[in-house]
Amino acid sequence: MISKEKIINRFVSYVTIDTQSDPNSTNTPSTKRQWDLAHLLVSELKEIGLQEVTIDSKGYIMATIPSTTSKETPVIGFIAHYDTSPDFNGTNVKPQIIDNYDGEDIILNQKQAIILSPSYFEDLKQYKGQTLITTDGTTLLGADDKAGITEIISAAEYLINNPNVKHGKIRIAFTPDEEIGRGANFFDVNKFGANYAYTMDGSQIGELEYENFNAASALITVVGKSVHPGYAKNKMVNSMLIAQDFINSLPKLETPEHTENREGFFHLHHISGTIEKTTLEYIIRDHDKKHFEARKLMINALVNELNAQYGREVISVVIEDQYYNMKEKIVPNMHIIEIAKKAMLAVNIKPVIKPIRGGTDGSQLSFMGLPCPNIFAGGHNFHGKYEYVPVESMQKATELIVKISELAAL
């Protein structure tokens, strides 16, 4: 299998390239810097020896690992995204390699006293004795999802160099802009040509996911009226206070910090306000479709209620659906979950099957006709300075891709 050193070198070469996406851009990819890694990946795939390597005008990369068996087999795919989150600094990433982790606190940044501690991040304890790659405390790492890319390319290299491993035709793809919900917007499912696929975009080792949130965004706009505060009685309308009424009217315990498992939430992630105008940006999430629809109705009802109180439209909302629970499309194709479970057990990984508290390209692709559950990539604490990934988890994910490829051809 691919050596630890090669995994580390490949991963580090990817994460040191800034590929943050931009939700305010209308381009695809949303940032020019994503092209830097995209072109590197295309060159690497060709150098390794993959066939049908293409990149289109939107930055979608596809390639083929040719079949090594004469049997008629399904075409399977593996997918990852190369953009990183715009929610935290992704420029000038300086990975730190922690060999033989001792299970104690890791000083990420001495000067700023930033510490990655197992007393707070308890998952660290299970990686004692392993090699960790962390941030330097000033940026995110980018294991979401450059760990997935590392694993797919490493598995592809192994399969190309070991034609004695029997497998059918395998397609791989790398996408832009997943972090801003657009990763599958221009994905050509027919061109990809797979019967089913797996995104390598999960977290800790063993994760196998085929349920995710139904998701929507809500943009609430409140319009006020600014008047000199000394003469404001019965004249000023403070949009920020109306926005506060709206915020306080939503269920206080139905937020990300108070929910888990399949529990849904309303998440206020951005607010901007003056007396004249305040905007609130929410995401709405729920695994249950009926509860999801009820959440959207609740927001609309609150908007109508506030407008009724003021006797005119002081608040408006635009709600847009983003993606839906892939479970609906995976359940009729549960054999692809069974293959992944069997492959995990074969390489000594305990399957951890649980719902995703988020979404992946796979959720959209499943509704586009490509059943696509999600598999671990190995990283933890995504989108922030405490992000890390065990190298051994990336090695295991690489091994798992090879094993799934074998089992899918039996």
Side-chain angles (χ1 to χ4, degrees):
M1 193 51 67
I2 304 295
S3 70
K4 180 184 288 188
E5 182 181 8
K6 195 156 193 176
I7 291 280
I8 292 171
N9 291 339
R10 177 167 280 149
F11 177 74
V12 168
S13 74
Y14 299 159
V15 299
T16 49
I17 299 173
D18 183 0
T19 57
Q20 286 185 289
S21 44
D22 179 4
N24 297 313
S25 169
T26 58
N27 297 323
T28 303
S30 61
T31 52
K32 290 183 179 179
R33 57 196 171 208
Q34 291 184 62
W35 286 107
D36 295 337
L37 180 55
H39 291 310
L40 173 67
L41 295 175
V42 168
S43 296
E44 189 171 1
L45 293 172
K46 290 178 178 178
E47 183 180 333
I48 288 170
L50 274 72
Q51 297 180 2
E52 302 173 312
V53 180
T54 63
I55 182 168
D56 65 19
S57 62
K58 300 292 187 181
Y60 288 77
I61 301 166
M62 295 184 183
T64 297
I65 306 169
S67 174
T68 57
T69 178
S70 59
K71 291 175 60 176
E72 185 174 338
T73 65
V75 178
I76 67 171
F78 295 96
I79 301 169
H81 65 90
Y82 55 80
D83 69 313
T84 56
S85 172
D87 296 334
F88 197 81
N89 179 27
T91 302
N92 199 24
V93 174
K94 296 176 181 177
Q96 299 188 110
I97 313 298
I98 313 297
D99 288 315
N100 193 24
Y101 171 54
D102 62 8
E104 302 299 325
D105 288 356
I106 299 172
I107 299 174
L108 299 179
N109 192 296
Q110 182 81 48
K111 185 176 180 181
Q112 298 183 32
I114 299 171
I115 297 172
L116 178 62
S117 175
S119 65
Y120 192 86
F121 299 106
E122 295 182 354
D123 286 338
L124 273 167
K125 297 174 183 177
Q126 65 184 304
Y127 301 115
K128 185 176 180 180
Q130 297 191 23
T131 299
L132 305 184
I133 304 179
T134 73
T135 75
D136 71 348
T138 64
T139 69
L140 52 69
L141 181 61
D144 181 11
D145 186 26
K146 292 169 184 175
I149 293 175
T150 298
E151 294 149 8
I152 292 171
I153 291 184
S154 296
E157 182 177 25
Y158 179 84
L159 290 171
I160 291 291
N161 292 335
N162 293 273
N164 56 304
V165 177
K166 299 303 178 185
H167 59 82
K169 181 179 179 180
I170 302 166
R171 291 283 278 163
I172 69 172
F174 302 132
T175 68
D177 292 339
E178 189 271 354
E179 294 292 358
I180 55 175
R182 306 179 200 164
N185 282 14
F186 297 99
F187 192 103
D188 190 333
V189 170
N190 290 331
K191 177 183 175 182
F192 192 55
N195 297 93
Y196 58 89
Y198 301 91
T199 49
M200 303 298 297
D201 194 17
S203 183
Q204 74 177 54
I205 188 167
E207 284 186 353
L208 173 58
E209 302 155 324
Y210 63 92
E211 298 179 57
N212 61 277
F213 279 134
N214 296 290
S217 64
L219 175 63
I220 291 96
T221 304
V222 187
V223 178
K225 190 173 293 184
S226 183
V227 178
H228 188 290
Y231 306 93
K233 187 173 181 180
N234 299 325
K235 294 181 177 64
M236 178 185 285
V237 179
N238 193 326
S239 73
M240 291 181 286
L241 296 180
I242 298 172
Q244 184 178 27
D245 286 343
F246 178 88
I247 293 168
N248 290 338
S249 295
L250 289 172
K252 291 179 175 55
L253 296 181
E254 296 184 18
T255 60
E257 60 267 39
H258 293 107
T259 53
E260 60 184 351
N261 300 323
R262 289 181 175 83
E263 296 170 340
F265 57 73
F266 302 96
H267 177 41
L268 175 63
H269 63 90
H270 189 267
I271 181 169
S272 176
T274 63
I275 293 171
E276 285 276 343
K277 182 180 178 181
T278 297
T279 57
L280 308 174
E281 295 180 39
Y282 277 88
I283 59 172
I284 306 164
R285 300 289 188 265
D286 211 298
H287 279 87
D288 185 278
K289 190 66 177 293
K290 290 182 179 179
H291 292 170
F292 175 62
E293 297 298 332
R295 289 184 184 281
K296 293 187 288 183
L297 289 173
M298 179 183 291
I299 284 183
N300 279 310
L302 287 174
V303 167
N304 292 336
E305 182 180 327
L306 283 167
N307 284 332
Q309 287 179 21
Y310 284 86
R312 60 188 177 85
E313 185 174 294
V314 295
I315 182 170
S316 61
V317 61
V318 176
I319 297 176
E320 295 183 352
D321 285 358
Q322 296 170 313
Y323 52 82
Y324 303 106
N325 191 343
M326 73 170 85
K327 182 179 180 181
E328 176 183 335
K329 300 298 182 181
I330 300 299
V331 168
N333 298 280
M334 283 299 286
H335 67 285
I336 66 181
I337 300 299
E338 294 306 315
I339 289 172
K341 285 168 59 179
K342 186 176 179 180
M344 284 187 181
L345 294 172
V347 297
N348 298 313
I349 299 171
K350 181 181 179 181
V352 180
I353 299 176
K354 63 180 184 179
I356 309 171
R357 287 185 61 78
T360 71
D361 283 343
S363 57
Q364 292 173 283
L365 292 170
S366 293
F367 281 87
M368 293 165 65
L370 179 67
C372 194
N374 191 45
I375 290 175
F376 73 92
H380 289 261
N381 306 337
F382 295 145
H383 301 183
K385 59 190 173 187
Y386 298 108
E387 187 180 2
Y388 70 93
V389 61
V391 176
E392 287 81 356
S393 294
M394 287 195 283
Q395 285 184 295
K396 274 296 185 183
T398 302
E399 190 178 349
L400 177 63
I401 292 169
V402 172
K403 183 55 68 173
I404 288 174
S405 303
E406 289 183 274
L407 294 180
L410 294 180

